[in-house]
Amino acid sequence: MPYRLIYIGLALVGIAAIVFGIALSPEGDEVELPGPLEAISPQPGDLVPPQAAVEVDLEVGYQADIVIDGWPISDATFVEATGVYRWAPTPNHPTISEWEPGEHTVSVVWDTYTGLPDTGRFEWTFRTG
């Protein structure tokens, strides 16, 4: 009988730890993205694994120039129907073959590819570890 009380006590302590962890976890500030920029990944300030990819989601009808750590990214995958750019370092890439631990800066400059110009710029940093 006493071992059952120990198990019940340990289970209650575990549940209490999970509840307090969720209740006290910081939610962070929501990032307000400008105009045609609908989403980015990773978020500013995020800590991501070394195999993470950078994603930039623009409204349809826009094109982007992406620069990471001062290097222009010309081989990003772009899906025109959704406006999503996706890029991750590869061993064959001439400038960024892997994410080094530390902070990385992404700069996105966009413009429409038809109609009147609507240029903009957004920059953020994330960390790999």
Side-chain angles (χ1 to χ4, degrees), residues 97-113:
S97 59
E98 64 180 8
W99 291 122
E100 296 292 328
E103 196 168 86
H104 301 281
T105 303
V106 181
S107 177
V108 179
V109 177
W110 63 82
D111 195 2
T112 56
Y113 52 82

Side-chain angles (χ1 to χ4, degrees), residues 29-44 55-59 108 110 121-124:
D29 295 332
E30 190 173 318
V31 178
E32 198 163 318
L33 299 173
L37 193 57
E38 294 180 336
I40 56 173
S41 177
Q43 294 290 309
E55 284 190 15
V56 175
D57 184 0
L58 291 166
E59 291 177 8
V108 179
W110 63 82
R121 183 174 192 273
F122 187 73
E123 186 173 291
W124 78 97

Side-chain angles (χ1 to χ4, degrees), residues 1-126:
M1 183 71 172
Y3 67 90
R4 289 184 183 162
L5 293 175
I6 292 172
Y7 289 143
I8 291 172
L10 288 174
L12 291 174
V13 168
I15 291 171
I18 291 170
V19 168
F20 280 117
I22 291 171
L24 299 177
S25 67
E27 292 181 18
D29 295 332
E30 190 173 318
V31 178
E32 198 163 318
L33 299 173
L37 193 57
E38 294 180 336
I40 56 173
S41 177
Q43 294 290 309
D46 277 358
L47 176 62
V48 298
Q51 64 272 21
V54 172
E55 284 190 15
V56 175
D57 184 0
L58 291 166
E59 291 177 8
V60 175
Y62 285 83
Q63 61 186 7
D65 292 321
I66 301 171
V67 176
I68 299 177
D69 294 338
W71 296 101
I73 303 300
S74 59
D75 59 343
T77 304
F78 175 59
V79 179
E80 189 173 340
T82 61
V84 175
Y85 286 85
R86 182 176 171 85
W87 184 83
T90 61
N92 308 1
H93 198 273
T95 54
I96 305 174
S97 59
E98 64 180 8
W99 291 122
E100 296 292 328
E103 196 168 86
H104 301 281
T105 303
V106 181
S107 177
V108 179
V109 177
W110 63 82
D111 195 2
T112 56
Y113 52 82
T114 60
L116 296 174
D118 183 17
T119 60
R121 183 174 192 273
F122 187 73
E123 186 173 291
W124 78 97
T125 59
F126 66 93

